[in-house]
Amino acid sequence: ITMTYDSVKHCLQVNTDWLENTVYKLRLVKGFAKDTAGSDVVPSRYNFRTREDGDYGKITLHVPAKYISPVNLLRAMADNDSIYQKPVTDTFVVFKRLKAGRYTFRIIVDKNRNGKWDTGDLLTKTQPEVLIPCRDHIDVRAGFEYNSEFEQKPAPKPEKDKTKTKPK
């Protein structure tokens, strides 16, 4: 078992070779962690069952070679929650064990290489970092595998000015 702490999200991730369709008990003892006030967290127990591989979907996303760069970050979103964000280093990215739901993808041109999308700043006249949204979303269902191409969403067409009238 390995445990990693994400200081940004303030969460602890437990990793191990989980068995499919198995009941596990997680017991947290007193003194395991401290809250923001420095007090010991209350001891607790959690019971949970792992799912079978057939309960998940899989997406293989083909990213065009023109996006391969340490400056470009591929972000995968599941129902408006970010589930993946890493530099584009290969033309194929495989997402395994995905819960059923709608998945969207975008590429962030991370010019300052801080690992996140930055908004612009009016005072320093800095433009926001460029987002390249994927044209299609994928509705993942359990037990299905999807192959998809990352195609940039076309730019919106400017609307014609309807206030102008034709000369008589």
Side-chain angles (χ1 to χ4, degrees), residues 69-102:
S69 169
V71 174
N72 293 336
L73 301 174
L74 175 64
R75 176 183 276 182
M77 307 279 289
D79 301 321
N80 295 325
D81 289 331
S82 181
I83 62 161
Y84 176 91
Q85 182 171 304
K86 291 188 180 174
V88 181
T89 58
D90 196 1
T91 55
F92 286 97
V93 181
V94 179
F95 300 93
K96 298 178 182 177
R97 294 190 174 181
L98 297 174
K99 293 180 182 178
R102 177 169 285 189

Side-chain angles (χ1 to χ4, degrees), residues 59-61 63 73-78 83-84 93-95 98 102-108 131-140 148-153:
I59 297 175
T60 302
L61 183 68
V63 180
L73 301 174
L74 175 64
R75 176 183 276 182
M77 307 279 289
I83 62 161
Y84 176 91
V93 181
V94 179
F95 300 93
L98 297 174
R102 177 169 285 189
Y103 290 82
T104 57
F105 303 94
R106 62 179 61 154
I107 290 178
I108 301 169
L131 287 177
I132 304 168
C134 185
R135 183 179 70 186
D136 298 323
H137 64 271
I138 300 173
D139 290 319
V140 172
S148 184
E149 297 277 333
F150 185 96
E151 294 179 20
Q152 184 175 353
K153 195 179 277 189

